[in-house]
């Protein structure tokens, strides 16, 4: 889960191409990849959620003494993965509208096109992370049941 989230931090999530410039949306925000065009828009919502999605599983590993809290932290991380999808599509729409308005101001009344694409692998990473979290939850639940059965034997 941690490795899947870490890869999302270093690769682009979406790309917007116009006739003048190319923009990429990554975990840090909207960046212009064309020389001569300077635009940086920080996507704090995606960055903070990705940071929490990275930190919570690492903290959860060291909570092996308190399995109930470990299970709760895994559930919170899975909720953050779902929240990431909502924030991604929100930011994707927000920045595509922003780029359309930028190009419209630059071109004026002329015609233009904006091609938007998403990186499918980076959209699959939270799903992979959710799968890993579900497997971890199953392991924690199994440990809780095993400890309860051992306590009954005493």
């Amino acid at each position: 889960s941690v490795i899947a989230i870490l890869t999302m931090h270093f690769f682009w999530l979406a790309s917007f191409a116009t006739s003048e410039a190319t923009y990429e949306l990554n975990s840090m925000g909207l960046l212009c990849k064309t020389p001569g065009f300077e635009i940086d828009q920080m996507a704090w919502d995606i960055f903070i959620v990705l940071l929490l999605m990275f930190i919570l599983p690492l903290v959860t590993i060291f909570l092996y003494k308190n399995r109930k809290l470990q299970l709760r932290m895994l559930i919170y991380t899975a909720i953050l993965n779902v929240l990431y999808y909502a924030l991604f599509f929100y930011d994707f729409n927000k920045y595509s509208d922003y780029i359309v308005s930028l190009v419209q101001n630059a071109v004026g009344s002329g015609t233009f096109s904006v091609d938007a694409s998403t990186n499918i692998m980076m959209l699959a990473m939270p799903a992979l992370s959710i799968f890993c979290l579900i497997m971890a939850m199953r392991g924690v639940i199994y440990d809780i049941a095993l400890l309860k059965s051992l306590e009954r034997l005493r």
Side-chain angles (χ1 to χ4, degrees):
S1 173
V2 173
I3 294 170
I5 300 306
L6 192 61
T7 59
M8 290 175 58
H9 185 70
F10 292 107
F11 293 104
W12 60 275
L13 305 170
S15 174
F16 305 98
T18 65
S19 58
E20 291 88 20
T22 303
Y23 306 93
E24 286 184 358
L25 176 64
N26 61 16
S27 65
M28 298 301 289
L30 186 69
L31 304 171
C32 183
K33 292 297 182 180
T34 306
F37 288 87
E38 296 300 323
I39 180 174
D40 287 330
Q41 293 282 331
M42 186 67 177
W44 286 106
D45 50 358
I46 289 179
F47 179 73
I48 290 171
V49 168
L50 275 177
L51 189 65
L52 287 173
M53 286 167 52
F54 177 73
I55 291 172
L56 282 179
L58 287 178
V59 170
T60 304
I61 291 171
F62 298 106
L63 295 174
Y64 57 88
K65 296 268 186 190
N66 191 348
R67 285 172 190 80
K68 297 277 188 191
L69 180 61
Q70 194 176 30
L71 189 61
R72 222 176 308 140
M73 296 285 275
L74 288 170
I75 291 170
Y76 294 153
T77 307
I79 291 170
L80 279 175
N81 278 286
V82 173
L83 177 67
Y84 167 79
Y85 277 121
L87 287 175
F88 170 75
F89 287 114
Y90 170 75
D91 281 352
F92 184 77
N93 288 330
K94 179 176 77 170
Y95 287 125
S96 62
D97 292 342
Y98 178 72
I99 289 172
V100 166
S101 69
L102 275 180
V103 174
Q104 197 171 25
N105 289 339
V107 173
S109 62
T111 61
F112 63 91
S113 68
V114 176
D115 297 322
S117 63
T118 58
N119 189 345
I120 299 299
M121 274 310 285
M122 292 303 110
L123 284 178
M125 288 300 168
L128 176 67
S129 176
I130 289 172
F131 174 75
C132 293
L133 290 170
I134 289 171
M135 298 305 286
M137 283 182 218
R138 286 180 58 195
V140 170
I141 290 170
Y142 176 75
D143 287 348
I144 291 171
L146 181 66
L147 288 175
K148 281 184 180 178
S149 70
L150 289 177
E151 286 177 7
R152 271 186 256 134
L153 290 176
R154 278 197 260 179

